[in-house]
Amino acid sequence: MIPHPAHQPPASARAFPVGAPGTATLAEHVLAGGHGTWWTDRAERPRVVAVTSGRHALLAGDPTALAPADLAPLAGHRVEASARFLPVLAAAFDLLQPWDRMLYVQRADAAPARVPRGTTVRRLRAEDGPSLACAGLALGRTFASWGGPEGLARSGHGWAAFRKDRVLAVACSRFAGSRYEDVACATDPGERRQHLALACVAGLSGDIAARGRTATWSCSRENRASRLLAWTAGFRLLREYVHHTTGPAAVSGTSILRTAA
């Protein structure tokens, strides 16, 4: 597929809905923030369009227009697409793993969070980039959706728990759209069970509401800890869905991947 810079979306980008909840906000996030890539099967009158950011991908259009090799740029991604794309996705990758997901929307206030003495929970500031980069938290994909830790720190879309200059937990809007912002969080394994993530999510959710938007939460159905945190933070189940994780490309032939103009 042919890549297009985030700030130059193809006309076919209109295939993705505006104002949709959860990771469906990815397209709006890339359009507004510039952290991601658009893809089409051809430069003129494309039949297939994809958008990627933070190793997540949305795919839309006519799957019969694709050969398996064309999907090579989506290797190692979490792909959301209609069931019509499953045959070509399965042919394109050595591994195509379905992943049952749950989408929550914030409907209630978060439960009070009592954090340990000496811990500060606040909005991230631009100067927090180096501390965030050194934290080692499992937010690599989320950092990528903001261009890296420094980008997230500058974005105004993250909260963190600090002990002095050390980051203990982070919550951020990994994808921010016009109506919804999809929340992700992570806590240092040695600092869990101290309400740190809950406090970060509560602060972030307040910011999201102040922007006139609604916070959403997407997680695996098997991730009980994430589901419990979502409920405690005031999120309620909206729907269940499936996305697919892709392994290495199975087809080594010529792809139509080219350098963007």
Side-chain angles (χ1 to χ4, degrees):
M1 300 181 77
I2 303 170
H4 304 263
H7 63 279
Q8 295 178 356
S12 53
R14 291 191 297 267
F16 299 114
V18 174
T23 51
T25 60
L26 188 159
E28 289 185 281
H29 177 84
V30 172
L31 184 61
H35 301 297
T37 305
W38 304 92
W39 304 84
T40 58
D41 64 310
R42 59 189 184 187
E44 300 295 330
R45 302 179 68 178
R47 298 155 297 176
V48 178
V49 60
V51 59
T52 58
S53 181
R55 290 289 176 176
H56 283 262
L58 305 180
L59 184 60
D62 178 8
T64 64
L66 294 171
D70 298 336
L71 291 172
L74 302 188
H77 281 68
R78 300 173 181 180
V79 180
E80 292 183 40
S82 72
R84 298 184 303 127
F85 279 92
L86 291 182
V88 69
L89 282 166
F93 303 103
D94 286 331
L95 175 67
L96 185 68
Q97 181 68 41
W99 200 352
D100 294 329
R101 307 285 291 172
M102 305 185 78
L103 172 60
Y104 296 81
V105 174
Q106 191 166 45
R107 305 289 193 194
D109 293 334
R114 292 173 289 183
V115 300
R117 183 174 299 178
T119 302
T120 300
V121 178
R122 61 167 174 81
R123 186 181 299 110
L124 287 169
R125 300 190 287 256
E127 59 267 28
D128 295 322
S131 296
L132 196 58
C134 292
L137 301 177
L139 275 175
R141 292 174 185 263
T142 301
F143 292 160
S145 72
W146 290 103
E150 292 79 9
L152 174 59
R154 294 191 302 266
S155 72
H157 287 264
W159 278 64
F162 293 84
R163 184 177 299 128
K164 295 184 179 179
D165 292 330
R166 180 172 166 240
V167 176
L168 309 178
V170 178
C172 67
S173 302
R174 58 177 169 178
F175 301 123
S178 58
R179 292 184 58 194
Y180 298 96
E181 297 188 25
D182 199 54
V183 173
C185 70
T187 304
D188 184 309
E191 304 291 341
R192 290 174 179 166
R193 302 183 184 278
Q194 299 184 73
H195 295 177
L196 300 179
L198 176 61
C200 293
V201 171
L204 175 63
S205 296
D207 280 359
I208 293 172
R211 288 190 281 267
R213 300 170 181 167
T214 300
T216 67
W217 186 284
S218 306
C219 68
S220 167
R221 188 167 65 182
E222 298 177 355
N223 192 337
R224 185 177 182 276
S226 183
R227 291 165 54 192
L228 178 60
L229 176 56
W231 182 269
T232 306
F235 292 79
R236 301 295 180 260
L237 182 64
L238 178 65
R239 63 181 176 88
E240 298 186 37
Y241 67 103
V242 177
H243 72 200
H244 290 77
T245 58
T246 60
V251 181
S252 58
T254 301
S255 172
I256 54 177
L257 176 63
R258 296 194 290 269
T259 302

